[in-house]
Each structure stands twice: as C-alpha cells, then as structure tokens.
C-alpha cells in the first residue's frame, strides 16, 4: 500500500489537465445552451434535448469526478477504486436511460454516428471503468492507464456531442430563419 501514493503522484499533472478541461468544457456547454435557449423554446423539443444535450454534461461531469477522485491524497487504493466503480455503474445505468430517451424522442432521427457517440462509446467507457476498478488491486499501473483512457474518451465524447448538438441547433435555426425570409 505504500507504493500507492507515488503511483498516484505520477498521474497528478495528467489529472490536473483533464480536470481543468472537463470543468471548462462543462461551463462552456452551459453557456452554449443558454445562448441557444430561444431556439429550444421555438422548437419545444425537451425530449430531444434530454436525449442528446444533457448526457454531454454528465460525461464532462464524470471526467471531472474521475480526476478529482484520483487527485485526492489517498492512503489506500480500495476507496478510490470503490468510488470509481460506483461511478462506472452509475454511468452504465445513465447510458441505458439515454438509450430509452433517444428511442422515445421524436424531434430528431438518430443516424449511426449518433448511436456510436451517444450510446456505444459512453457504454464502453463506463464499462471499462467498472472493469478497471475490479482489476485495480492486482494491477494498479495498468488500471491507471485504463482509467486515464476512459477520462480522455469521456472528454472526447463530450466535445464531439457538444459540437454536434450546437451545429444541429444552429443549422436548424438558420434554416428556420431562411424559410421565414423567403
């Protein structure tokens, strides 16, 4: 157990960078949603927003939680492993909720890219987090690389989905404005 502190210390810069990125991107997502609030009110597609925009904030929040958890000064390995395992299980459950929301909304017809980025990749990331926490006591070095990869994947999922959502909302708004000018 004494080897844990130096092992986590080696990851300090990585988690500071990832945590700052997750926090900044979460804030930027809130700003973006606020700026396009008028479009949302015009479309009245709350189910679509819940299926596609809300999960983005959750994934950024999960990345921030992972970084905060592994940046804490732990003296034992099982406690952060337990927290990350519970977070991974919660993430899997949330992806199932997102799947249900996606199937129930009727404001947008998802394409393959949407299924990959909104369901498959997040499910894989959270599943990898759960598996990593199970393997953590026996192989902490490898596990920390897996958890690092999960953190990066969640950030990229959030970045992709934010960009996808913003371009969809703004292009839809431009089409509405162009039709009204005709």
């Amino acid at each position: 157990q004494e080897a844990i502190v130096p092992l986590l210390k080696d990851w300090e810069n990585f988690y500071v960078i990832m945590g700052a990125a997750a926090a900044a991107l979460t804030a930027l997502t809130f700003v973006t949603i606020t700026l396009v609030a008028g479009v949302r009110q015009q479309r009245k597609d709350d189910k679509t927003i819940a299926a596609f925009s809300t999960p983005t904030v959750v994934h950024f929040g999960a990345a921030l939680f992972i970084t905060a958890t592994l940046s804490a000064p732990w003296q034992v390995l099982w406690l952060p492993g337990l927290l990350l395992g519970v977070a991974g299980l919660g993430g899997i459950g949330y992806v199932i909720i997102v799947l249900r929301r996606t199937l129930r909304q009727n404001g947008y017809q998802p394409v393959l890219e949407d299924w990959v980025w909104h369901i498959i990749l997040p499910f894989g990331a959270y599943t990898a987090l759960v598996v990593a926490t199970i393997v953590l006591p026996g192989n902490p070095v490898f596990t920390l690389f897996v958890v690092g990869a999960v953190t990066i994947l969640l950030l990229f999922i959030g970045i992709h989905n934010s960009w996808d959502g913003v371009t969809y909302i703004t292009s839809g708004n431009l089409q509405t404005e162009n039709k009204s000018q005709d």
Side-chain angles (χ1 to χ4, degrees), residues 42-80:
Q42 289 172 359
R43 290 182 166 184
K44 299 188 187 310
D45 57 356
D46 288 338
K47 288 182 180 178
T48 306
I49 297 289
F52 294 104
S53 293
T54 305
T56 300
V57 175
V58 171
H59 302 320
F60 285 147
L64 184 57
F65 179 79
I66 292 168
T67 62
T69 300
L70 290 179
S71 295
W74 301 105
Q75 299 302 313
V76 293
L77 197 53
W78 69 269
L79 190 54

Side-chain angles (χ1 to χ4, degrees), residues 99-147:
L99 174 62
R100 192 179 75 213
R101 287 178 180 170
T102 302
L103 294 171
R104 289 184 178 174
Q105 61 84 31
N106 56 12
Y108 173 74
Q109 183 61 42
V111 296
L112 178 61
E113 178 184 357
D114 298 315
W115 294 113
V116 168
W117 284 94
H118 289 275
I119 305 298
I120 296 169
L121 288 176
F123 186 84
Y126 292 117
T127 300
L129 186 59
V130 171
V131 171
T133 59
I134 293 168
V135 176
L136 180 63
N139 196 348
V141 174
F142 173 75
T143 301
L144 288 175
F145 277 100
V146 171
V147 173

Side-chain angles (χ1 to χ4, degrees), residues 15 24 157:
Y15 285 114
I157 289 168

Side-chain angles (χ1 to χ4, degrees), residues 11-25 67 71 151 155:
W11 284 87
E12 185 175 41
N13 287 337
F14 174 81
Y15 285 114
V16 166
I17 293 168
M18 292 296 104
L25 290 167
T67 62
S71 295
T151 307
L155 283 177

Side-chain angles (χ1 to χ4, degrees), residues 56 59 117 121-122 125 152-162:
T56 300
H59 302 320
W117 284 94
L121 288 176
I152 292 171
L153 180 58
L154 289 170
L155 283 177
F156 280 126
I157 289 168
I159 291 166
H160 173 274
N161 294 349
S162 290

